[in-house]
Amino acid sequence: MKTICLYFEIHQIVHLKRYRFFDIGTDHYYYDDYANEASINHIAENSYIPALKTLIQMAKDSKGYFKVALSLSGVGLEQLEQYAPVVIDLLKELNETGCCEFLAEPYSHGLSSLAENWEDGFREDVMMLCDKIYELFGSRPKVFRNSSLIYDDEIGSVVADMGFKGVLTEGAKHILGWKSPHYLYHCALNPNLKILLRDYKLSDDISLRFSNPSWKSYPLMSGTYVDWIASFPEEEEVINIFMHLCAFGIYQPLSSNILEFMKALPEAARKRGITFSTPSEVVDNYKSIAPLEVAYPMSWVDEERDTSCWLGNVMQREAFDKLYSIGDRVRLCTDRRIRQDWNYLQASNNFRFMTTKNNAVTMDRGIYESPYDAFTNYMNILADFINRVYWAMPADMDIEELNAFQTTIRNQDKEIQSLEKQIARLKASKETKPKAAKQKQAKADSKK
């Protein structure tokens, strides 16, 4: 039986402010708060709120027939909590319907899986997000999706070792060749990790082409869309449709009736015997047909479906290498501000703004006039950040020394806490003994 696995991503850019060379060492705050508040409010009011209300209505009206999956970056969640808490409330309401699954991803929405000696930083990044999801929604993710669906065999092996049973990635032509994305595959290095592949055509039909009057399938009706899915060969049972949630209201205007199209999907699918499944249900209910070998990282970005949009030129690689060169020190650091800045500076959009690829010339770079401007601003911020990290974790100490130093501090903290507990118990005991003696004497006196 055919099933639709529908997944949406929620991530919000943290806007950096204009930071000049002479700010290095004097200004340790890197963000444009006005731009961040304006941006998150705009996207919440015009996309996230109406889209989530629609998903909640679809789940309730279909009485459990409709299912959906969401992944939320940690940096995006922090901004929603600060500027648009109503979105968090709606996510909790959607979770309570029992028709939604939350996935794991790197907290920073960064590129830690592409760094040299990346595994420790990647694991920490992912587990930090899992803890956040548990804190907000009461469950831990079982399926993983990397930032921008980045995946290769080595990443898959680590993800499987972390205990995840499935991973979402792109159904890229240069990887699949003649094969179809409409099957369940598994990691070439660990068969326990199942792979769900995005059907980029069906996904882009909604997220990119829906409101385009020059598109040959315009206007697209839900019945027609489901007919396309039903027409696939009988053995092609898993149809994965992945996109950004902001496709509703930002990429495609709400005036295009895209939410009405979505509302009609469950009933149109039911009539044709097509179900909806969460990624976990796909992994549990369908069998993998073959390993998928991915020697080099792929993603869902640009025509190349690779990592060139972030690491395709000398500027991007220099910024990337310099940032991750201090990763070990940051992970040993306990300064909350440094850890938060680390998450924000890792976000992939910081490197995306530096791209010189021709197909990204018209991209919105925010405050930056060019990729070189984005590089200069980011490197100024990074210079100040690195100075702060080395102040907290001295440059003349190697990682092993720092680790031993931190271990000593942690052990001393534990010993201090243990001694404080003993002191508290002794004080309590000292106060209790006189009271007990008085009570005993009072009983004795009463008997006389």
Side-chain angles (χ1 to χ4, degrees):
M1 178 182 290
K2 283 184 171 52
T3 193
I4 297 172
C5 181
L6 194 61
Y7 152 78
F8 298 107
E9 171 192 317
I10 294 179
H11 168 62
Q12 183 63 25
I13 291 174
V14 177
H15 296 273
L16 302 179
K17 69 181 181 182
R18 180 64 68 180
Y19 194 92
R20 305 189 186 281
F21 175 79
F22 296 104
D23 294 324
I24 298 172
T26 61
D27 183 2
H28 304 318
Y29 192 76
Y30 312 134
Y31 314 107
D32 185 337
D33 290 335
Y34 176 80
N36 286 325
E37 183 174 4
S39 176
I40 195 69
N41 283 330
H42 172 74
I43 199 170
E45 292 172 8
N46 294 282
S47 175
Y48 291 164
I49 292 174
L52 288 171
K53 285 182 177 179
T54 297
L55 294 178
I56 292 167
Q57 182 183 341
M58 291 168 67
K60 291 180 177 179
D61 290 350
S62 67
K63 294 180 173 54
Y65 193 80
F66 174 75
K67 306 284 181 66
V68 67
L70 292 169
S71 73
L72 319 162
S73 73
V75 296
L77 279 170
E78 287 185 19
Q79 290 204 71
L80 289 171
E81 287 178 316
Q82 183 174 1
Y83 298 120
V86 64
V87 176
I88 302 294
D89 293 338
L90 288 172
L91 288 167
K92 290 179 179 179
E93 186 178 348
L94 178 60
N95 182 51
E96 289 169 1
T97 65
C99 299
C100 175
E101 178 179 7
F102 291 102
L103 309 185
E105 69 164 85
Y107 189 96
S108 65
H109 198 77
L111 307 173
S112 55
S113 60
L114 303 178
E116 189 176 357
N117 302 321
W118 59 278
E119 188 175 329
D120 289 343
F122 174 78
R123 286 174 178 266
E124 182 181 90
D125 207 3
V126 174
M127 296 315 297
M128 187 177 178
L129 190 280
C130 291
D131 291 342
K132 185 71 173 178
I133 293 296
Y134 181 77
E135 175 191 328
L136 288 174
F137 306 110
S139 62
R140 291 193 173 275
K142 299 175 182 177
V143 176
F144 175 77
R145 60 87 58 185
N146 205 357
S147 308
S148 300
L149 300 189
I150 295 171
Y151 177 84
D152 64 17
D153 293 334
E154 191 175 358
I155 293 171
S157 178
V158 172
V159 168
D161 187 59
M162 292 175 70
F164 294 105
K165 61 183 180 180
V167 63
L168 276 59
T169 189
E170 177 72 356
K173 262 301 187 196
H174 70 278
I175 297 297
L176 282 173
W178 56 268
K179 291 178 285 189
S180 168
H182 304 148
Y183 295 97
L184 192 63
Y185 295 87
H186 61 262
C187 174
L189 300 181
N190 190 327
N192 292 324
L193 183 76
K194 303 304 186 291
I195 303 174
L196 288 78
L197 298 176
R198 173 179 180 256
D199 184 316
Y200 61 84
K201 182 187 178 301
L202 285 175
S203 301
D204 291 350
D205 284 342
I206 296 176
S207 64
L208 300 182
R209 292 182 279 270
F210 185 84
S211 63
N212 183 2
S214 63
W215 179 37
K216 65 179 181 180
S217 297
Y218 177 86
L220 180 62
M221 301 298 175
S222 57
T224 303
Y225 190 78
V226 173
D227 284 343
W228 294 345
I229 294 173
S231 68
F232 292 135
E234 185 178 348
E235 61 273 14
E236 296 187 11
E237 296 183 307
V238 181
I239 315 300
N240 299 309
I241 301 169
F242 306 159
M243 68 191 81
H244 298 276
L245 187 63
C246 61
F248 306 131
I250 304 298
Y251 302 160
Q252 305 301 318
L254 298 181
S255 59
S256 67
N257 292 322
I258 191 167
L259 293 181
E260 284 66 28
F261 166 85
M262 287 298 298
K263 289 177 187 176
L265 270 183
E267 187 57 31
R270 192 198 299 266
K271 288 179 179 177
R272 291 159 181 77
I274 298 172
T275 64
F276 286 84
S277 299
T278 63
S280 285
E281 289 174 340
V282 170
V283 169
D284 292 339
N285 299 329
Y286 292 83
K287 292 183 178 180
S288 168
I289 64 163
L292 187 72
E293 296 184 2
V294 187
Y296 301 98
M298 65 174 174
S299 74
W300 69 354
V301 179
D302 294 345
E303 293 182 7
E304 295 85 355
R305 303 292 199 267
D306 59 13
T307 61
S308 60
C309 66
W310 305 291
L311 301 175
N313 63 46
V314 175
M315 294 184 298
Q316 291 170 310
R317 290 193 294 274
E318 180 180 348
F320 179 83
D321 291 341
K322 193 155 190 172
L323 174 69
Y324 283 101
S325 69
I326 58 169
D328 289 339
R329 276 179 157 73
V330 174
R331 285 192 292 278
L332 290 172
C333 184
T334 56
D335 187 304
R336 292 180 63 186
R337 280 289 303 277
I338 286 178
R339 296 302 296 266
Q340 185 179 55
D341 291 340
W342 170 249
N343 288 329
Y344 292 171
L345 293 177
Q346 283 189 86
S348 61
N349 56 277
N350 293 314
F351 303 96
R352 176 75 160 158
F353 290 146
M354 303 176 199
T355 186
T356 52
K357 291 176 66 175
N358 289 333
N359 60 353
V361 170
T362 58
M363 71 176 292
D364 181 8
R365 298 182 195 270
I367 63 172
Y368 306 124
E369 297 175 0
S370 69
Y372 313 101
D373 185 26
F375 171 74
T376 301
N377 200 70
Y378 185 80
M379 293 303 282
N380 286 340
I381 290 173
L382 191 55
D384 183 80
F385 178 69
I386 290 174
N387 287 341
R388 290 167 56 208
V389 172
Y390 279 134
W391 178 262
M393 295 287 162
D396 57 357
M397 295 181 68
D398 62 29
I399 294 302
E400 289 185 2
E401 289 177 307
L402 285 170
N403 200 13
F405 181 63
Q406 290 291 90
T407 300
T408 300
I409 292 174
R410 284 195 293 270
N411 289 339
Q412 288 177 343
D413 285 342
K414 289 180 181 178
E415 186 175 351
I416 290 170
Q417 290 174 8
S418 176
L419 290 171
E420 287 176 344
K421 288 179 180 178
Q422 289 182 36
I423 291 171
R425 283 198 296 269
L426 288 171
K427 284 183 177 179
S429 176
K430 188 176 180 181
E431 292 173 358
T432 302
K433 284 181 179 178
K435 289 181 180 178
K438 287 181 179 179
Q439 290 175 351
K440 187 175 181 181
Q441 183 63 44
K443 286 183 179 179
D445 293 343
S446 65
K447 292 179 180 178
K448 291 180 180 178

